Amino acid sequence: MTVIDRTERSDRAADAAPLLRVSGVRKSYATPQGALAVLKGVDLTLAAGESLALLGESGSGKSTLLHLIGGLDDADAGEIVLDGVRVTGMPDAERAALRREKIGIVFQQFNLVPSLTVADNLAFQARIAGRFDAAWQDELMRRLGLAALAGRYPEQLSGGQQQRVAIGRALAVKPRLLLADEPTGNLDAATGDEVLGLALDLIRRTGCGFLMVTHSTRLAARLDRQVMLASGVLVTP
Amino acid sequence: MRQAYWIFATLLSHWRRHPLNLATLMVGLAIATALWSGVQALNQQARASYDRAAAVFGEAGLASIVSARGAFVAQDAYVALRRAGWKVSPVLEGSVRIGAASYRLIGVEPLTVPRGSPVSGLATGGELEAFLRAPGQTLAAPETLGELGVAEGATPSTDKGKALPPLVRDGTVAPGLLVVDIGAAQDILGRPGQLSRLIVDGDAAQPDAAALAAVAGDALRLEAAAEGGDLARLTDSFHLNLTAFGLLAFIVGLFIVHASIGLAFEQRLGTLRTMRAVGVPLRLLMAALVAEMVLAALLAGAVGMVCGYFIAAALLPDVAASLDGLYGAHVSGQLAIAPRWWASGLGMALAGALAASALSLAKVARLPVLSVAKPLAWREAQQVQLRRQGAFAVFCLVVALLAYVAGHGLIAGFVVIAGVLLGAALLLPLALSGLLSAGEGTAKQALAQWFWADTRQQLSGLSLALMALLLALSANVGVGTMVEGFRKTFTGWLDERLNAEIYFDAASAADGARIAAWLARQPQVSAVLPVWRAETRIKGWPVDVYGTRDHATYRVHFSLLSELPGAWDKVRDGEGVLVSEQLARRMGLGLGSTLAIPTGDAVWEAPVVGLYPDYGNPKGQVRVNVDHLVRHWPDARRTSYSLRTAPEQAEALIGTMQAQFGASLARVVDQASLKAASTRIFEKTFAVTGALNTLTLVVSGIALFASLLALTGLRLAQLAPVWALGVPRRRLADLEIGKLLVLAAITAVLAVPLGLVLAWCLVAIVNVQAFGWRLPFHVFPLQWVVILALALVTALLAAVIPVARLGRTAPQDLLRVFANER
């Protein structure tokens, strides 16, 4: 019997039926100076259980690509397929359902609901998706070190604590794909390392795909694969 | 379902964290609903009384057959119509004086009266016989019995010495109304064989004019149904004005709601984006926001309705007194609320809340999930908004102009006012922005420059509240100018009109003649002047015809608006009549026009030789020579007289008359008392207006307070850098107060010309359309100073708590502004 390593296994899985497939995606924005092409034909695949770091300079289109994959915006051309479902061209209501049920998103600015407590923020997406699991919620609270802060409001938390809540909220729904847009960008190096470590640990438990936008090659190295976005196309760093 | 529950719960959690924002929203909605529903409760109460009065003939809105030539229908015509198979019922109406008060007496025929009438029930009950057979019955409301001070079974006598049939308490009869059998009415009113009109049974096939002519020739004509009868028509303008005030207060209240919802939207922008980002469907989010607004509207609306009830209860005595004094309408003093009042009040709260939140809801509907990549700079965004607002303001002003030029009627008058007020209010931020820019240009010191620039930046947050303040202040100036102008004109007019020293009413015509003859022999009496009266209808409108003697009292003091040469001579000789301004406007009469006046059994065609003001009278009025009055109306009421004597002898003469004639003298009053009574009615009428005016100003103060409170938190970002640069918190608080006072002062100064325009619209358009008379336009500069002071006090009161909060802001909170900057 042949022993195959994790990367090889994920490559095979991706080859068979990748969790995420991005093909020839283009996106441009209108500016006073004319159309600005941000993505010029991006191709990408990601397998379930695989983690991928998306690197690139500021303004290279990393966040744009993340938003297109998350169904927050629509591509001008190309195709994005998540878990066998075509995201591109999908009506708004279906995209909302997809985000609600299959995708967890961690924003750089945390984007917590200021009027909800830590516990309610963490449970928010799972509740509206109808997938709230009390045991999983308790485990996330405990693993993310939030149990003692359950009744607090976001404004009463530090940046690191808020980001943990954001990660917890994204994972509470047990997503098929977790997207993170510079999740440690607002944190110091030590806190960033700690938060990412926690996130990776939990991601492995859920078996979801993980795509993280980051500036940091150091943090990117902790993920299974790394790709770089430059001049609107993906290159291998 | 659970999904919807969590979305709704998340939205509601915002209010738990921002209780002041919630309070301003609820207070705004409750106040708006309270003022609107309070006014509606008053209107409904009054209209219910009118309907009760009209319901004597069954369901309101029945057609009538009236005389085509005179004021009365001959009883023979009724008999002929019944024989021809017409389902008509005879009615005789008139007023009777019992003691010092007048009552409306209606004679009906219970066997033919249409269904739904209180007396129709008699036709099947055992009381029919009691009603019809001598001595008969007088049905009266319990309130009327109380007013007369008699018990059931009493038979009070009229001023003509006719005793009423025994009084019977009947809760379905309107207060102030006496219902008797038609035969008894003919006897009491002295009109044997005469009827006022024939009511056409609503259940029967409706006749047409041709069918009527076939039976009665040209002696009769059909008159279309009038909702609620005369009282409803006469008081329509009064209620419309009341409604307009309620609506103004409602709109000012909605400014608060709009400001609160706008603030909540800004505060929840991030939350709404996050909700959308994590997969909340837009449709569900919108539905939850609407549901949230509906819940707020229902809760605050219910509170507002309760407050509205108390406002109405507080104002009802004044309204009832005004309606009684002006129109002779008896309105029950006990507020009774119909279920549809609740429904319409809550409906208004709901519609108002949704209208006030429409802009925010539209923004949510278009809200991009991702924040806009290139937000416009604040200044640029505000300029765009101001330009749009300016364009809409111009549109409103154009609509007002078109309504003024091309519109007719009271509604067009209100469109003019609404267009002018809304247009001016929308232009306010532009005007303030321009003035503040000018201030900025003159500033030399850095702090002064910051003061002007920052005040300008605050405009966008405060503009709605300032618009509400402008509306309230201009309404105060406008209504104040009109009321003061009315008071001034009315007082002068009363002085001219009431120039006799004593006025008296005799208990009967015979008593009147006896008293007049005695007075004529008294050396201290220089003139005994009859003021006799007949009632008629001209084109369906009730008109009083007064007969007076030719005397210097009238020639010198009775001022005319316009007259033909020798007008008083023509009136004396029966060659012309004087017509009140409102009758002339309503009938389109001018000097030299011929007025066809229905008399008892004919039509008197008289030339109009003069027009005179008759402020406050809802009925038309004609003045003729007393001899001609008696010739055309032999049954005219001949009980009223005025006396000329030396003013210092008036009191003694009154005492002598009372001692000499006792009960034969129904009422005697000196000039001062009569003027005081007239002025009291006037003051009661405007007490209601004044109360609503003050409430509107209070509401605008609350709007300002709500906006300032809402802005306090948002102001930290502007104030923290200035504080960090070394300006103490106390100084910053003083500057904040200064900014608001500057804005309030400019708004108040702009409110004065707007208020004068409003006053002109009220005097020249609304009053003329509503009441038929036009007041001279006066201005009262002292009022403007009061308004300016009022604006500054309002702004100061509104600013105290929010600014004190800012002044007490802890340094760590100010530092947090920098901590959040990244």
Side-chain angles (χ1 to χ4, degrees), chain B residues 333-559:
Chain B
Q334 192 69 40
L335 200 60
I337 295 303
R340 72 166 188 273
W341 175 76
W342 284 95
S344 73
L346 288 177
M348 276 299 273
L350 209 53
L354 290 176
S357 59
L359 202 62
S360 295
L361 288 172
K363 280 184 187 169
V364 175
R366 292 197 307 267
L367 184 73
V369 182
L370 299 169
S371 49
V372 179
K374 304 180 296 305
L376 288 171
W378 166 82
R379 199 173 288 264
E380 195 183 339
Q382 202 188 33
Q383 288 305 319
V384 170
Q385 193 193 339
L386 281 179
R387 275 199 295 274
R388 282 184 191 158
Q389 204 166 301
F392 189 62
V394 171
F395 171 75
C396 291
L397 294 174
V398 169
V399 169
L401 187 67
L402 286 176
Y404 175 63
V405 173
H408 295 287
L410 200 51
I411 299 295
F414 282 123
V415 170
V416 174
I417 289 179
V420 168
L421 286 182
L422 195 59
L426 290 171
L427 283 177
L428 178 70
L430 274 172
L432 287 172
S433 180
L435 289 168
L436 294 173
S437 284
E440 198 177 342
T442 58
K444 297 282 186 287
Q445 291 181 335
L447 201 56
Q449 280 176 341
W450 173 79
F451 176 89
W452 291 108
D454 194 62
T455 308
R456 205 150 82 100
Q457 193 181 2
Q458 264 187 284
L459 259 187
S460 60
L462 284 176
S463 61
L464 271 171
L466 290 169
M467 283 184 215
L469 184 66
L470 179 79
L471 288 180
L473 291 176
S474 55
N476 262 274
V477 173
V479 175
T481 302
M482 185 195 71
V483 172
E484 277 309 306
F486 194 12
R487 182 176 281 125
K488 190 173 176 177
T489 308
F490 188 71
T491 311
W493 173 75
L494 271 185
D495 284 341
E496 287 179 350
R497 182 62 73 90
L498 302 179
N499 52 25
E501 284 70 30
I502 298 172
Y503 296 83
F504 75 89
D505 286 321
S508 68
D511 287 333
R514 194 161 55 87
I515 296 168
W518 179 83
L519 284 167
R521 293 195 299 273
Q522 305 308 308
Q524 70 270 42
V525 176
S526 58
V528 183
L529 303 169
V531 188
W532 294 351
R533 181 165 70 98
E535 292 171 0
T536 187
R537 283 174 172 271
I538 300 179
K539 293 183 182 168
W541 205 264
V543 172
D544 288 329
V545 184
Y546 278 92
T548 53
R549 184 165 296 156
D550 183 34
H551 192 266
T553 299
Y554 304 113
R555 285 189 179 247
V556 176
H557 299 291
F558 195 94
S559 67

Side-chain angles (χ1 to χ4, degrees), chain B residues 1-251:
Chain B
M1 199 59 202
R2 289 194 65 78
Q3 189 184 25
Y5 167 79
W6 285 114
I7 293 168
F8 194 57
T10 303
L11 288 175
L12 288 187
S13 68
H14 165 84
W15 303 108
R16 202 174 55 233
R17 299 284 292 162
H18 298 86
L20 270 176
N21 193 187
L22 176 65
T24 55
L25 172 71
M26 300 301 266
V27 166
L29 268 170
I31 288 177
T33 313
L35 292 177
W36 169 258
S37 59
V39 164
Q40 289 312 309
L42 290 172
N43 283 344
Q44 206 176 76
Q45 177 80 4
R47 288 196 176 118
S49 295
Y50 310 152
D51 287 344
R52 274 172 76 191
V56 175
F57 313 113
E59 293 165 31
L62 296 178
S64 304
I65 292 170
V66 296
S67 168
R69 290 197 288 267
F72 296 96
V73 175
Q75 194 160 310
D76 296 344
Y78 162 63
V79 175
L81 283 172
R82 287 296 294 194
R83 280 187 182 149
W86 288 57
K87 283 197 153 187
V88 290
S89 183
V91 173
L92 179 63
E93 287 177 87
S95 59
V96 290
R97 181 172 279 278
I98 302 172
S102 274
Y103 296 88
R104 189 164 154 240
L105 182 100
I106 296 185
V108 295
E109 207 286 289
L111 294 170
T112 56
V113 78
R115 264 191 314 167
S117 160
V119 287
S120 68
L122 295 174
T124 53
E127 293 156 351
L128 177 64
E129 197 178 324
F131 188 78
L132 287 175
R133 289 184 68 170
Q137 290 180 335
T138 302
L139 306 183
E143 294 98 318
T144 309
L145 261 68
E147 205 175 293
L148 285 166
V150 295
E152 276 193 303
T155 57
S157 293
T158 69
D159 58 348
K160 291 183 175 167
K162 296 282 185 184
L164 295 182
L167 285 162
V168 173
R169 184 190 303 264
D170 189 331
T172 59
V173 173
L177 191 65
L178 303 168
V179 181
V180 296
D181 175 58
I182 189 95
Q186 286 174 330
D187 178 46
I188 293 164
L189 296 171
R191 298 197 175 282
Q194 289 184 318
L195 306 169
S196 300
R197 53 202 169 107
L198 305 172
I199 304 291
V200 181
D201 193 335
D203 292 343
Q206 293 301 292
D208 57 27
L212 182 63
V215 182
D218 60 354
L220 302 177
R221 66 180 172 82
L222 265 171
E223 197 169 80
E227 282 287 334
D230 278 349
L231 278 180
R233 277 194 288 168
L234 290 174
T235 54
D236 244 2
S237 302
F238 182 90
H239 293 297
L240 189 59
N241 278 335
L242 215 53
T243 302
F245 246 106
L247 196 61
L248 177 68
F250 182 73
I251 289 169

Side-chain angles (χ1 to χ4, degrees), chain B residues 759-772:
Chain B
W760 182 85
C761 289
L762 289 170
V763 165
I765 305 174
V766 172
N767 265 357
V768 175
Q769 296 292 344
F771 304 116

Side-chain angles (χ1 to χ4, degrees), chain B residues 538-539 562-565 567 570-571 574-581 583-597 604-611 622-624:
Chain B
I538 300 179
K539 293 183 182 168
S562 59
E563 60 189 293
L564 290 177
K570 288 190 169 75
V571 171
E575 294 168 5
V577 296
L578 303 174
V579 170
S580 70
E581 183 189 5
L583 181 63
R585 283 186 192 274
R586 190 167 294 133
M587 302 296 159
L589 299 170
L591 293 176
S593 305
T594 300
L595 177 62
I597 315 168
W604 177 21
E605 299 210 331
V608 176
V609 296
L611 304 176
V622 178
R623 292 225 160 207
V624 302

Side-chain angles (χ1 to χ4, degrees), chain B residues 729 733 801 803-811 813:
Chain B
R729 281 176 297 166
I801 294 176
V803 172
R805 278 179 57 175
L806 266 181
R808 285 200 307 270
T809 306
D813 289 329

